[in-house]
């Protein structure tokens, strides 16, 4: 084995998550939980365990509220600020909503950007990756269950097909 | 947090894989070799991303398998120094905090890299940060945000066939092949719930 290029590209969490989902789909590792079929003997337990653990870790990060479109739009909006590549990547990965977490991601944030600009960056993140959507969304579903029944069913279909 | 790395390797496809599509057989063979393994000075390989180049297979006398030279891109977990990551506190000891990230559990925050004025409490089995009079607890299973400070690679040699007990212990003491040292010293670090 020879390492040709150590770091060819940077990957966002979202890309890795999508790739893992693809691997799991190809190997039918997801399907095992749904139908009570006997688990297929895994040909590659290492790959199976790492995809399972990593996707469970990543599902606790903001990846589930992201999509290809929302990330590209967010990057377009952020391009007016002179952010480093890795800073943008970390913004996408961690989606900081508070000023203090944005400060930790961007180096010397207070010197490089004014308070208005920082608020604007937070605004951009908030619009593209809306926080707490799943939490509040679940709550709403419970309250207006009858009204949104149809939507909910549609949602479920979408969830199962994806 | 993740990077794509390009590797080149000579891979052996055993004859029982010949019925599969060549590309699929190569990828699954590469996954078997690299997935969930630490490559020294590279990082933890997650899975194959794609195949870049595949040469024609070669046959060797006395072996029915096909040997194929290929270039491949793999997803590697290799956070850069200064990156902010989140994990969960697995264990608190007087030496520091051990953090787990589900798929990667060799993260350690030594006491020298914790907030100034942090103290270990034996009774609570937790680290306590005294921030201007308010006591903030770093309890087990709390979600913690930390900064990557240092990466430690240890080249683990393969085990010999006749391993004595002493040698076995020695191996265990050498620690993981890839470990991350983290720090919690600036604003925004520490328990995620503190800063929300």
């Amino acid at each position: 084995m020879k390492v040709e290029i150590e770091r060819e590209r940077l990957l966002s969490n979202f890309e890795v998550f999508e790739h893992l989902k693809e691997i799991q789909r190809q190997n039918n590792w997801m399907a095992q939980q749904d139908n009570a079929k006997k688990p297929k003997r895994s040909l590659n337990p290492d790959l199976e365990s790492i995809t399972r653990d990593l996707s469970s870790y990543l599902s606790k990060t903001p990846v589930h509220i992201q999509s290809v479109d929302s990330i590209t739009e967010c990057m377009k909006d952020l391009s007016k600020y002179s952010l480093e590549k890795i800073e943008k990547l970390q913004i996408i990965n961690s989606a900081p909503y508070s000023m203090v977490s944005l400060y930790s991601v961007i180096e010397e944030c207070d010197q490089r950007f004014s308070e208005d600009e920082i608020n604007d960056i937070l605004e951009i993140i908030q619009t593209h990756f809306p926080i707490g959507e799943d939490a509040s969304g679940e709550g709403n579903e419970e309250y207006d269950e009858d009204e949104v029944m149809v939507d909910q069913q549609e949602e479920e279909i979408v969830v199962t097909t994806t | 947090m993740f990077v794509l790395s390009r590797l080149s390797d000579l891979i052996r496809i055993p004859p029982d894989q010949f019925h599969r599509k060549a590309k699929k057989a190569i990828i699954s063979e590469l996954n078997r070799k690299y997935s969930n393994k630490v490559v020294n000075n590279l990082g933890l390989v997650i899975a194959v991303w794609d195949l870049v180049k595949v040469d024609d297979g070669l046959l060797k006398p006395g072996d029915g398998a096909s040997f194929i030279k290929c270039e491949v891109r793999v997803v590697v977990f290799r956070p850069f120094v200064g990156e902010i990551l989140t994990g969960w506190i697995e264990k608190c000891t007087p030496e520091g905090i051990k953090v787990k990230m589900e798929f990667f559990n060799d993260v350690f925050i030594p006491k020298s890299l914790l907030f100034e004025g942090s103290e270990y409490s034996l009774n609570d089995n937790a680290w306590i940060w005294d921030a201007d009079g308010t006591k903030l607890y770093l309890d087990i299973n709390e979600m913690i945000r930390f900064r990557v400070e240092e990466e430690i690679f240890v080249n683990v040699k393969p085990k010999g066939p006749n391993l004595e007990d002493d040698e076995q212990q020695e191996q265990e003491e050498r620690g993981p092949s890839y470990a991350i040292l983290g720090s919690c010293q600036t604003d925004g670090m520490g328990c995620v719930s503190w800063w929300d």
Side-chain angles (χ1 to χ4, degrees):
Chain A
M1 185 210 73
K2 195 177 144 208
V3 179
E4 299 282 342
I5 306 166
E6 206 172 288
R7 288 177 193 213
E8 185 172 317
R9 290 265 166 82
L10 292 165
L11 286 175
S12 70
N13 287 358
F14 178 75
E15 286 168 294
V16 175
F17 188 59
E18 291 294 306
H19 187 65
L20 292 180
K21 276 202 289 196
E22 178 67 22
I23 292 175
Q24 286 179 325
R25 199 181 53 76
Q26 278 175 0
N27 291 289
N28 287 324
W29 287 331
M30 306 276 264
Q32 281 169 23
Q33 292 146 8
D34 300 344
N35 41 36
K37 244 190 337 190
K38 228 188 245 175
K40 229 176 22 180
R41 195 171 57 92
S42 172
L43 291 164
N44 194 339
D46 276 333
L47 181 68
E48 187 176 354
S49 64
I50 191 102
T51 46
R52 189 188 55 230
D53 294 347
L54 182 54
S55 49
S56 121
Y57 173 81
L58 288 177
S59 60
K60 287 163 194 149
T61 63
V63 285
H64 55 276
I65 47 168
Q66 292 174 335
S67 66
V68 178
D69 293 337
S70 70
I71 289 175
T72 39
E73 288 299 313
C74 184
M75 287 297 266
K76 267 184 212 160
D77 287 351
L78 286 176
S79 60
K80 62 181 172 216
Y81 299 107
S82 57
L83 289 162
E84 293 293 324
K85 202 168 162 187
I86 49 170
E87 288 170 344
K88 282 190 208 162
L89 179 71
Q90 288 206 72
I91 287 177
I92 301 288
N93 279 349
S94 64
Y97 298 113
S98 60
M99 212 177 262
V100 72
S101 42
L102 188 69
Y103 267 58
S104 63
V105 172
I106 300 174
E107 248 174 76
E108 289 168 346
C109 190
D110 48 344
Q111 285 162 35
R112 283 164 58 193
F113 301 106
S114 71
E115 203 166 308
D116 290 341
E117 286 174 321
I118 291 165
N119 280 325
D120 191 41
I121 294 175
L122 285 171
E123 184 98 345
I124 291 169
I125 299 163
Q126 181 72 51
T127 42
H128 292 294
F129 313 129
I131 188 178
E133 196 185 46
D134 49 336
S136 59
E138 269 170 24
N140 286 339
E141 268 172 37
E142 273 174 27
Y143 294 125
D144 329 318
E145 205 163 3
D146 297 323
E147 288 163 38
V148 287
M149 202 61 154
V150 185
D151 298 326
Q152 215 179 328
Q153 276 173 343
E154 273 173 5
E155 260 176 33
E156 271 168 31
I157 294 162
V158 172
V159 169
T160 44
T161 46
T162 45
Chain B
M1 191 149 132
F2 298 100
V3 290
L4 273 185
S5 301
R6 191 185 289 235
L7 309 174
S8 67
D9 201 357
L10 183 73
I11 207 91
R12 177 183 184 269
I13 307 292
D16 63 351
Q17 299 289 312
F18 286 174
H19 67 284
R20 302 173 77 186
K21 288 238 168 66
K23 208 178 145 190
K24 274 197 174 162
I26 292 167
I27 287 180
S28 75
E29 204 60 34
L30 283 164
N31 268 331
R32 196 179 315 214
K33 185 169 176 184
Y34 290 114
S35 177
N36 207 0
K37 308 270 196 304
V38 170
V39 176
N40 202 28
N41 291 327
L42 187 73
L44 174 71
V45 179
I46 307 291
V48 171
W49 183 264
D50 58 359
L51 284 172
V52 182
K53 206 173 85 189
V54 181
D55 285 357
D56 290 337
L58 298 167
L59 297 175
K60 287 190 180 176
D63 190 346
S66 160
F67 290 80
I68 298 172
K69 196 170 184 297
C70 50
E71 241 181 81
V72 64
R73 291 197 294 181
V74 289
V75 184
V76 178
F77 171 70
R78 176 84 188 270
F80 52 86
V81 171
E83 187 165 353
I84 311 296
L85 297 177
T86 50
W88 288 266
I89 297 175
E90 189 186 359
K91 213 162 70 181
C92 290
T93 61
E95 281 78 46
I97 296 173
K98 198 165 182 298
V99 180
K100 61 171 180 212
M101 292 175 75
E102 292 189 57
F103 64 101
F104 184 80
N105 295 329
D106 295 312
V107 182
F108 188 71
I109 306 171
K111 61 180 174 190
S112 56
L113 293 175
L114 281 169
F115 291 107
E116 261 178 61
S118 294
E119 255 181 54
Y120 178 69
S121 154
L122 199 64
N123 295 335
D124 300 308
N125 189 24
W127 277 86
I128 301 165
W129 176 36
D130 202 340
D132 306 327
T134 41
K135 279 187 173 176
L136 293 165
Y137 284 74
L138 286 157
D139 279 319
I140 288 171
N141 281 332
E142 285 271 9
M143 199 175 181
I144 187 174
R145 201 177 277 143
F146 59 93
R147 186 175 182 271
V148 177
E149 290 292 335
E150 204 181 318
E151 38 198 7
I152 303 158
F153 282 100
V154 177
N155 200 353
V156 181
K157 294 198 177 69
K159 279 185 220 143
N162 300 318
L163 213 64
E164 299 286 313
D165 286 343
D166 311 347
E167 281 181 60
Q168 219 158 23
Q169 274 178 351
E170 200 182 293
Q171 285 252 334
E172 279 162 21
E173 280 163 18
R174 270 167 66 191
S177 49
Y178 177 37
I180 290 174
L181 280 190
S183 76
C184 271
Q185 284 179 316
T186 47
D187 285 353
M189 299 300 116
C191 284
V192 175
S193 50
W194 296 349
W195 304 98
D196 284 341

